[in-house]
Amino acid sequence: MSAETGGRVASASERIETSHQDLDTPPSSATRSPDDAHGAHGSVTVDEVALAEELAGAGITGAGRVADADAAEYALRLGDDALVLAQQLGMWITRAPELEEDVALGNIGLDLIGHARSLLHYAGTATGRSEDDLAYWRDEPEFRNAWLFEQPNGDFAHTIARQLVASLYLYELYGALETSTDATIAAIAAKSVKEVDYHRDHAVQWVLRLAGGTDESRRRMIVAVTDTWPYVDELFDDDALVERLAADGVAVLPSTLRPAFEAAVDAVFAEAQLERPTGRTAFTASGGGREGRHTEHLGPLLAEMQVLARQHPGASW
Amino acid sequence: MSTPGEMGTEAWPLWEVFVRANRGLSHVHVGSLHAPDPDMAVRNARDLYTRRNEGVSIWVVPAEAITTSDPDAKGAFFESPAGKNYRHAVYYTKSEGVKHL
Amino acid sequence: MFPRGDQRLEDDRAPTGVGTANTQESTMTSPADLSVVEREPSPEEAQFDDLIAADSRIEPRDWMPDAYRKTLIRQISQHAHSEIIGMQPESNWITRAPSLKRKAILMAKVQDEAGHGLYLYSAAQTLGITRDEMMDQLIEGRARYSSIFNYPTPTWADMGAIGWLVDGAAICNQVPLCRASYGPYGRAMVRICKEESFHQRQGFEILLELMQGSDAQKRMAQDAVDRWYWPALQMFGPPDDQSPNSAQSMAWNIKRFSNDELRQRFVGMLVPQAEVMGVTLPDPNLRWNEERQAYDMSEIDWTEFEEVLAGRGPANAERIRRRREAHEEGAWVREAAAEYARKQAERRLAASGAVA
């Protein structure tokens, strides 16, 4: 597949022409050939575009760095989080509450696919697999995403609650990983943190509006927070892998991100007059995504994502 | 008279969007969009009008806040400069050839 | 002005559906009657005519004939609807795209289409119709959109065929619209054409990749081309001699080239591209006619076009249903945001009052 896999994508510039040659055709009499030159009005040319290096795949990780087994497993966790969340947001397009929001959720989804591609590419270097090998040819127990990301879209409030938790967590995570001793992870984090910062802003804006809008929207927002909160704890669980990696400065201990996360939640909830769930609905899901145990939502999501690729083993797209 | 399109009847009002493409350039009108409030308007504008690095700064203005000149008064408004060629440097021909003028 | 008593040419039955591509065709509120008795034009009419004659631009607050305004509202809103409905056949494959790169490209493309719909709704809005009204017309089935989006997308190769053929035809139609006489429309089209330049290319590349792949992939590509070729040619609208609305649109500099001119031009682009790919265009009679300096081609089957246009296409109901559901299910969100804005404004007012 194209230049990406062949190493760094050179910064290319290309002239886009296709069928635009008649952009400066003249005011026509119907008989005039479409290819005549120069109209009275501002001729339109399609700008030369200098293509930026694609973040994904080889863009950042193409320097040839190969991840060791631990770093690969860690990148897999992060990559799967991003991939599964992107897949979920992709389902919103054409179904958002307003057209402007189709565009906004699309932007966030695109950012996340970018993160997933970079991280999975790096994870794959340890075992000679491509980003697509990892995305399309692993089964459910081999996925390493946390449960939060595989929770269904629900209504818009549920998606926003999930976005709030996800983006506040990812913002702290990538912020900390900017100084990772693993240069590839640091580079991916540095790019991603800026994008996640915007995702965080998007989620916060909507939490405020839904919680402070109508009675109906407030009710829905409270339900969504209740339904989402059981999946918060898992994000901050430490285990042997992250402890080893954190000792080398490659990873950050998830537990250390929690205070900043909680402070951010406090600030948003204070303004939105929301509370963390308490009492009988304050569940905490056991988690287990990092070991490949998943909720019943992941299987169908993967089945849909992988169906076409798996019908054509070895095919190029 | 506000900008065309604002009817004041929609749930989300209309906003006019201006984008500065680069430092050193003015904000230029690029179009409009709908948003419930200014905070969301500027975010929607970012998502809608700068998907391909088109801008470094965005203004959003409620369409109803813009006052426009009356199109029917075109003559009165815009014909006055005609006949005032002396406002243009090329009017002054005698200094041609003289340096630094 | 009715060269034929063809019911297709009547207002509601007008071959309007082909929004993205053929909005020019679709737009007349009533077929223009150029045969009105000559009379002295009013000063503003004369000014309008002068601007059109000079190929200048009409701007929102200018005086314009009622029929011109209606024509544009209809054409631009149909074009916008086509972008929005056109998201659906492709979004169908976002979750199943066979590689992450393709997933990203497809998501970006569908998202662009939402953006293009928004640019066009904005342009239409300058003519005195709200987006809410236009959206109501769409979900109540009162508005038309390009009927090509009423075809389903059963395979991945359809993503290639839509990009190559449907977007290709749309670009042929749209590029001249960049010079449409109505300023906001022309400006929206410039933006759209710039952004769309990648859409056709990515479609071509999807098909090319398939044609270089396994036998199953090749079959998939050819099948999609077979299904989309004729509907794409229909996007240019009926033959010129059956397209009475075109004349007024061309006189008003909304439309710049005739349906058949554009169709020829499009086929001329496709032939060499199909050769590069190795796909066969499904028309046994397609060949260059040196004498006519044009392509000979089979008769287009307009009955199918009429059927789809009349709401009997494969996916008409589904397209409207999904748009309606999204709109209705999003109502509480839109209301929440509007209510929040109202409360915030109140608070600001109260705060400034307290200070004063």
Side-chain angles (χ1 to χ4, degrees):
Chain A
M1 239 183 11
S2 80
E4 280 157 83
T5 43
R8 296 178 77 84
V9 180
S11 203
S13 105
E14 64 170 336
R15 177 88 183 155
I16 298 173
E17 269 158 3
T18 58
S19 50
H20 290 239
Q21 58 269 43
D22 58 344
L23 279 166
D24 2 318
T25 36
S28 74
S29 62
T31 53
R32 186 120 51 151
S33 138
D35 290 316
D36 289 358
H38 306 312
H41 284 279
S43 67
V44 181
T45 55
V46 176
D47 302 338
E48 296 219 348
V49 182
L51 293 177
E53 212 166 82
E54 229 175 310
L55 170 66
I60 277 183
T61 54
R65 291 199 67 249
V66 171
D68 63 34
D70 274 0
E73 178 72 8
Y74 185 64
L76 201 58
R77 292 180 178 186
L78 272 49
D80 285 347
D81 285 351
L83 176 59
V84 170
L85 189 57
Q87 179 74 1
Q88 305 267 29
L89 293 179
M91 296 179 205
W92 268 108
I93 297 179
T94 70
R95 294 182 174 86
E98 187 50 288
L99 298 173
E100 278 85 354
E101 201 53 31
D102 274 312
V103 179
L105 291 171
N107 270 346
I108 296 173
L110 282 171
D111 289 343
L112 291 165
I113 292 182
H115 307 167
R117 291 180 66 191
S118 299
L119 289 159
L120 293 181
H121 177 91
Y122 186 50
T125 57
T127 47
R129 287 181 288 179
S130 72
E131 62 187 57
D132 287 335
D133 291 339
L134 290 173
Y136 291 94
W137 296 93
R138 280 180 304 148
D139 292 330
E140 202 179 323
E142 297 163 90
F143 270 75
R144 292 289 179 268
N145 60 284
W147 286 9
L148 173 79
F149 302 95
E150 66 196 47
Q151 296 313 301
N153 283 338
D155 66 4
F156 189 67
H158 280 84
T159 289
I160 290 301
R162 192 185 61 204
Q163 280 303 110
L164 179 75
V165 175
S167 59
L168 291 179
Y169 158 73
L170 290 172
Y171 181 75
E172 300 306 330
L173 174 68
Y174 288 134
L177 289 179
E178 279 188 275
T179 53
S180 167
T181 53
D182 182 308
T184 306
I185 289 177
I188 296 171
K191 165 90 166 115
S192 305
V193 72
K194 296 186 204 109
E195 296 175 345
V196 170
D197 192 13
Y198 187 77
H199 306 173
R200 194 171 66 131
D201 175 71
H202 174 267
V204 169
Q205 294 299 328
W206 273 115
V207 168
L208 295 177
R209 277 155 188 78
L210 297 183
T214 61
D215 291 347
E216 169 71 359
S217 68
R218 180 165 180 80
R219 182 190 68 75
R220 286 180 186 249
M221 193 67 236
I222 290 169
V223 172
V225 167
T226 306
D227 291 348
T228 303
W229 234 252
Y231 306 100
V232 171
D233 274 9
E234 183 189 12
L235 299 173
F236 302 100
D237 284 346
D238 298 339
D239 66 3
L241 175 76
V242 287
E243 278 164 7
R244 281 198 304 277
L245 288 169
D248 291 339
V250 172
V252 53
L253 281 178
S255 58
T256 62
L257 304 172
R258 186 138 197 178
F261 170 86
E262 294 292 346
V265 170
D266 283 342
V268 179
F269 278 16
E271 191 173 348
Q273 299 183 320
L274 290 171
E275 286 168 3
R276 290 173 181 70
T278 51
R280 298 178 68 99
T281 55
F283 298 109
T284 301
S286 65
R290 306 302 188 200
E291 285 85 47
R293 293 190 307 278
H294 290 281
T295 64
E296 57 208 28
H297 301 295
L298 185 65
L301 181 143
L302 294 182
E304 183 177 4
M305 184 173 81
Q306 297 172 336
V307 60
L308 174 60
R310 290 192 174 201
Q311 283 165 358
H312 300 269
S316 168
W317 302 95
Chain B
M1 198 185 281
S2 63
T3 55
E6 175 55 44
M7 257 70 83
T9 57
E10 291 187 288
W12 286 11
L14 190 68
W15 302 77
E16 300 295 339
V17 181
F18 301 78
V19 172
R20 183 199 296 288
N22 263 310
R23 291 187 170 279
L25 300 176
S26 302
H27 287 78
V28 172
H29 183 240
V30 293
S32 59
L33 51 72
H34 288 79
D37 57 57
D39 292 334
M40 292 304 278
V42 79
R43 286 165 177 81
N44 289 350
R46 175 259 194 198
D47 286 332
L48 185 56
Y49 288 103
T50 65
R51 294 197 302 285
R52 289 176 172 78
N53 290 319
E54 293 96 332
V56 296
S57 167
I58 294 173
W59 290 348
V60 293
V61 183
E64 64 173 13
I66 292 180
T67 307
T68 72
S69 58
D70 179 356
D72 296 331
K74 252 182 215 139
F77 253 74
F78 301 115
E79 269 170 35
S80 160
K84 298 191 177 72
N85 287 343
Y86 47 80
R87 284 184 182 274
H88 301 274
V90 289
Y91 176 81
Y92 304 91
T93 52
K94 293 198 174 145
S95 45
E96 242 167 54
V98 182
K99 284 186 179 166
H100 308 301
L101 261 178
Chain C
M1 271 319 287
F2 291 87
R4 296 150 44 108
D6 192 333
Q7 60 136 13
R8 249 198 300 130
L9 305 179
E10 284 168 28
D11 185 19
D12 283 341
R13 287 268 73 89
T16 50
V18 199
T20 309
N22 187 37
T23 37
Q24 315 91 308
E25 186 46 47
S26 43
T27 52
M28 298 298 299
T29 310
S30 59
D33 188 351
L34 297 178
S35 63
V36 211
V37 184
E38 290 284 325
R39 58 181 171 76
E40 203 57 30
S42 67
E44 60 264 18
E45 247 179 303
Q47 195 191 18
F48 174 87
D49 292 344
D50 289 348
L51 286 169
I52 295 289
D55 197 32
S56 184
R57 295 293 180 268
I58 307 300
E59 293 295 344
R61 293 204 177 282
D62 290 336
W63 182 91
M64 59 189 88
D66 219 31
Y68 177 86
R69 183 185 300 276
K70 283 186 180 154
T71 296
L72 279 165
I73 288 179
R74 187 154 149 183
Q75 171 164 340
I76 301 170
S77 65
Q78 286 179 355
H79 194 160
H81 296 330
S82 300
E83 295 282 356
I84 298 305
I85 295 293
M87 295 165 70
Q88 291 184 26
E90 292 175 287
S91 72
N92 176 25
W93 282 95
I94 289 176
T95 53
R96 292 178 292 165
S99 75
L100 296 183
K101 184 174 93 169
R102 290 286 168 212
K103 189 190 288 286
I105 292 171
L106 189 60
M107 204 190 264
K109 178 172 190 273
V110 175
Q111 190 208 29
D112 270 353
E113 282 154 10
H116 297 170
L118 289 172
Y119 301 156
L120 288 162
Y121 283 127
S122 295
Q125 189 146 16
T126 62
L127 290 156
I129 183 169
T130 63
R131 192 166 101 201
D132 287 352
E133 280 174 78
M134 291 184 270
M135 194 51 69
D136 286 346
Q137 290 174 354
L138 177 62
I139 62 183
E140 289 165 13
R142 289 185 285 126
R144 298 219 178 257
Y145 55 85
S146 181
S147 60
I148 196 142
F149 299 120
N150 290 323
Y151 291 93
T153 48
T155 77
W156 170 251
D158 292 325
M159 299 304 98
I162 287 184
W164 184 47
L165 295 172
V166 178
D167 291 324
I171 289 170
C172 271
N173 267 315
Q174 287 174 350
V175 165
L177 290 176
C178 293
R179 295 186 296 108
S181 58
Y182 188 59
Y185 190 27
R187 291 191 287 274
M189 290 314 305
V190 168
R191 184 172 281 276
I192 289 170
C193 285
K194 283 189 179 190
E195 295 187 354
E196 268 193 358
S197 51
F198 96 82
H199 292 184
Q200 193 187 13
R201 278 197 179 188
Q202 65 88 36
F204 180 88
E205 285 189 13
I206 287 174
L207 291 177
L208 185 66
E209 194 82 49
L210 291 174
M211 289 305 291
Q212 292 171 349
S214 66
D215 287 346
Q217 285 178 301
K218 283 180 193 151
R219 278 197 302 277
M220 196 194 285
Q222 183 63 54
D223 163 68
V225 171
D226 289 347
R227 282 183 290 110
W228 290 94
Y229 177 75
W230 288 109
L233 291 195
Q234 289 168 352
M235 288 173 69
F236 296 95
D240 293 346
D241 57 2
Q242 297 166 36
S243 179
N245 300 343
S246 297
Q248 178 66 82
S249 279
M250 291 183 79
W252 276 334
N253 295 343
I254 295 174
K255 183 178 167 113
R256 299 282 184 169
F257 304 108
S258 80
N259 297 349
D260 287 332
E261 277 176 330
L262 289 168
R263 191 165 17 239
Q264 276 287 338
R265 182 178 169 70
F266 179 56
V267 170
M269 281 163 36
L270 292 186
V271 168
Q273 291 170 358
E275 273 167 27
V276 171
M277 268 191 274
V279 294
T280 309
L281 296 175
D283 180 359
N285 298 315
L286 181 65
R287 61 182 57 83
W288 176 251
N289 182 325
E290 191 61 39
E291 201 175 311
R292 289 201 307 127
Q293 287 293 302
Y295 282 92
D296 292 335
M297 44 184 108
S298 302
E299 195 74 10
I300 292 178
D301 177 10
W302 292 104
T303 8
E304 181 191 299
F305 180 76
E306 303 282 334
E307 284 294 294
V308 176
L309 206 57
R312 292 185 286 271
N316 301 53
E318 164 61 20
R319 299 290 179 246
I320 295 296
R321 184 189 63 78
R322 195 199 290 185
R323 181 88 291 272
R324 189 183 59 238
E325 277 179 9
H327 192 71
E328 287 173 358
E329 283 167 17
W332 70 271
V333 177
R334 297 191 301 277
E335 283 158 20
E339 179 62 11
Y340 179 82
R342 197 188 58 76
K343 288 179 186 167
Q344 290 294 100
E346 256 175 32
R347 261 177 229 132
R348 271 195 300 273
L349 202 64
S352 64
V355 172

